[in-house]
Amino acid sequence: MPQQISLVALVVAHYDEAIAYYVDKLGFALTSDLPQGDKRWVVVTPPGSSCGLLLARAATDAQAARIGDQTGGRVGLFLTTDDFARDHAKMTAAGVRFLEPPRQEPYATVAVFQDLYGNRWDLLQPA
């Protein structure tokens, strides 16, 4: 089997509020929610994707300080779609906070949004 990135850890404040956001607002599937002592193994996955987010609850003050700013304020996560207009409209109606109107770039139609903690994402449809 070739190597692939299967999960990306995202530090969150609370499991259940993060699950609700990613499932209800972004349309991800909850693909795992298993107890592990005082932690949980929580994975949410975009439809059709083989890569998911491991929602990792902050366990230390240093981790809590990174919630919402894991990439120093730049876009660090990219959600690709095959229908930008459909998904942008659905996400907007669900209350997702877009930081700009959609724009055309040579590589994609794109708009930056923030998740519930302030992490910046690109919603993009490749050109």
Side-chain angles (χ1 to χ4, degrees):
M1 173 186 214
Q3 294 179 339
Q4 65 177 338
I5 295 174
S6 59
L7 292 172
V8 174
L10 187 66
V11 181
V12 301
H14 304 284
Y15 292 117
D16 293 330
E17 74 179 6
I19 291 168
Y21 180 85
Y22 287 101
V23 171
D24 298 340
K25 294 194 181 288
L26 298 188
F28 289 18
L30 177 62
T31 52
S32 181
D33 188 354
L34 303 170
Q36 286 194 313
D38 64 340
K39 297 181 182 181
R40 289 158 59 184
W41 181 263
V42 177
V43 177
V44 293
T45 307
S49 179
S50 62
C51 184
L53 292 177
L54 174 67
L55 303 180
R57 184 178 47 84
T60 67
D61 290 342
Q63 291 171 4
R66 303 300 189 281
I67 295 170
D69 192 25
Q70 294 183 115
T71 58
R74 68 167 292 134
V75 171
L77 298 158
F78 302 83
L79 184 59
T80 302
T81 178
D82 63 352
D83 188 335
F84 183 93
R86 175 199 65 213
D87 291 337
H88 184 267
K90 186 182 344 178
M91 291 167 65
T92 299
V96 172
R97 182 171 175 238
F98 280 88
L99 303 179
E100 62 182 10
R103 58 186 158 76
Q104 294 294 319
E105 296 291 345
Y107 59 90
T109 302
V110 62
V112 177
F113 69 93
Q114 285 184 314
D115 69 15
L116 76 163
Y117 297 114
N119 295 299
R120 291 174 180 244
W121 290 67
D122 271 357
L123 174 65
L124 56 93
Q125 179 179 352

Coordinates of all heavy atoms in Angstrom, one line a residue, residues 7 15-16 19 23 28-36 40-45 52-55:
L7 N -4.8 11.1 8.6 CA -5.4 11.9 9.6 C -4.5 13.2 9.9 O -3.3 13.1 9.7 CB -5.5 11.2 11.0 CG -6.5 10.1 11.1 CD1 -6.3 9.4 12.5 CD2 -7.9 10.5 11.0
Y15 N -14.7 18.0 22.8 CA -15.0 17.1 21.8 C -16.4 17.3 21.2 O -16.6 17.4 19.9 CB -15.0 15.6 22.3 CG -13.7 15.1 22.7 CD1 -13.4 14.8 24.0 CD2 -12.7 15.0 21.7 CE1 -12.2 14.3 24.4 CE2 -11.4 14.5 22.1 CZ -11.2 14.1 23.4 OH -9.9 13.7 23.8
D16 N -17.4 17.4 22.0 CA -18.8 17.5 21.5 C -19.1 18.7 20.7 O -19.8 18.6 19.7 CB -19.8 17.2 22.6 CG -19.7 15.8 23.2 OD1 -19.4 14.9 22.4 OD2 -20.0 15.7 24.4
I19 N -17.4 18.2 17.3 CA -18.1 17.2 16.5 C -19.3 17.9 15.9 O -19.6 17.8 14.7 CB -18.6 16.0 17.4 CG1 -17.4 15.2 17.7 CG2 -19.6 15.2 16.6 CD1 -17.7 14.1 18.8
V23 N -19.7 18.2 11.9 CA -20.8 17.4 11.3 C -22.0 18.2 10.8 O -22.4 18.1 9.7 CB -21.2 16.3 12.3 CG1 -22.5 15.6 11.9 CG2 -20.1 15.3 12.6
F28 N -19.3 17.0 7.6 CA -18.4 15.8 7.7 C -19.2 14.7 8.4 O -20.2 14.9 9.0 CB -17.2 16.2 8.6 CG -16.2 17.2 8.0 CD1 -16.5 17.9 6.9 CD2 -15.0 17.3 8.6 CE1 -15.6 18.8 6.4 CE2 -14.1 18.2 8.1 CZ -14.4 18.9 6.9
A29 N -18.6 13.5 8.2 CA -19.2 12.3 8.9 C -18.3 12.1 10.2 O -17.1 12.2 10.2 CB -19.1 11.1 8.0
L30 N -19.0 11.7 11.3 CA -18.3 11.2 12.5 C -17.9 9.8 12.2 O -18.8 8.9 12.2 CB -19.2 11.3 13.7 CG -18.6 10.8 15.0 CD1 -17.4 11.6 15.4 CD2 -19.7 10.9 16.1
T31 N -16.7 9.5 12.0 CA -16.2 8.2 11.6 C -15.6 7.4 12.7 O -15.4 6.2 12.6 CB -15.2 8.2 10.4 OG1 -14.2 9.1 10.7 CG2 -15.9 8.7 9.1
S32 N -15.4 8.0 13.8 CA -14.9 7.3 15.0 C -15.1 8.2 16.3 O -14.9 9.4 16.2 CB -13.4 7.0 14.9 OG -12.9 6.3 16.0
D33 N -15.6 7.6 17.3 CA -15.7 8.2 18.6 C -15.5 7.2 19.7 O -16.5 6.6 20.1 CB -17.0 9.0 18.7 CG -17.1 9.9 20.0 OD1 -16.1 9.8 20.9 OD2 -18.1 10.6 20.2
L34 N -14.3 6.9 20.0 CA -14.0 5.8 21.0 C -13.3 6.3 22.2 O -12.4 7.1 22.2 CB -13.1 4.8 20.3 CG -13.6 4.2 19.0 CD1 -12.4 3.4 18.3 CD2 -14.8 3.3 19.3
P35 N -13.8 5.9 23.4 CA -13.2 6.3 24.7 C -11.8 5.7 24.8 O -11.5 4.6 24.3 CB -14.1 5.8 25.7 CG -14.8 4.7 25.1 CD -14.9 5.0 23.6
Q36 N -10.9 6.5 25.3 CA -9.5 6.1 25.6 C -9.1 6.7 27.0 O -8.4 7.7 27.0 CB -8.5 6.6 24.5 CG -8.6 5.8 23.2 CD -7.4 6.2 22.4 OE1 -7.0 7.3 22.2 NE2 -6.8 5.1 21.8
R40 N -10.7 10.8 24.1 CA -11.5 10.0 23.1 C -10.8 10.1 21.8 O -10.0 11.0 21.5 CB -12.9 10.7 22.9 CG -13.8 10.5 24.1 CD -14.9 11.5 24.2 NE -15.8 11.6 23.1 CZ -16.8 12.6 23.1 NH1 -17.0 13.4 24.0 NH2 -17.6 12.6 22.0
W41 N -10.9 9.0 21.0 CA -10.4 9.0 19.7 C -11.5 9.4 18.7 O -12.4 8.6 18.4 CB -9.9 7.6 19.4 CG -9.3 7.4 18.0 CD1 -9.9 6.9 16.9 CD2 -8.0 7.7 17.6 NE1 -9.0 6.9 15.8 CE2 -7.8 7.4 16.2 CE3 -6.9 8.2 18.3 CZ2 -6.6 7.6 15.5 CZ3 -5.7 8.4 17.6 CH2 -5.6 8.1 16.2
V42 N -11.5 10.7 18.4 CA -12.6 11.2 17.6 C -12.1 11.7 16.2 O -11.2 12.5 16.1 CB -13.3 12.5 18.3 CG1 -14.4 13.1 17.5 CG2 -13.8 12.1 19.7
V43 N -12.7 11.1 15.2 CA -12.4 11.4 13.8 C -13.6 11.8 13.0 O -14.6 11.2 13.1 CB -11.7 10.1 13.1 CG1 -11.4 10.5 11.7 CG2 -10.5 9.7 13.9
V44 N -13.5 12.9 12.3 CA -14.5 13.4 11.4 C -13.9 13.5 10.0 O -12.7 13.8 9.9 CB -15.1 14.8 11.8 CG1 -15.8 14.7 13.1 CG2 -14.0 15.8 11.9
T45 N -14.7 13.1 9.0 CA -14.1 13.0 7.7 C -15.1 13.6 6.7 O -16.3 13.4 6.7 CB -14.0 11.5 7.3 OG1 -13.2 10.8 8.4 CG2 -13.3 11.3 6.0
G52 N -9.0 12.3 7.3 CA -9.9 12.9 8.3 C -9.2 13.8 9.3 O -8.0 13.8 9.2
L53 N -10.0 14.4 10.1 CA -9.4 15.2 11.2 C -9.6 14.4 12.5 O -10.7 13.9 12.8 CB -10.2 16.5 11.4 CG -10.1 17.5 10.3 CD1 -11.0 18.7 10.6 CD2 -8.7 18.0 10.1
L54 N -8.5 14.3 13.2 CA -8.5 13.7 14.6 C -8.7 14.9 15.5 O -7.9 15.8 15.6 CB -7.2 13.0 14.9 CG -7.1 12.5 16.4 CD1 -8.1 11.4 16.6 CD2 -5.6 12.1 16.7
L55 N -9.9 15.0 16.1 CA -10.2 16.1 17.0 C -9.6 15.7 18.4 O -10.0 14.8 19.1 CB -11.7 16.2 17.1 CG -12.4 16.5 15.8 CD1 -13.9 16.7 16.1 CD2 -11.9 17.7 15.1

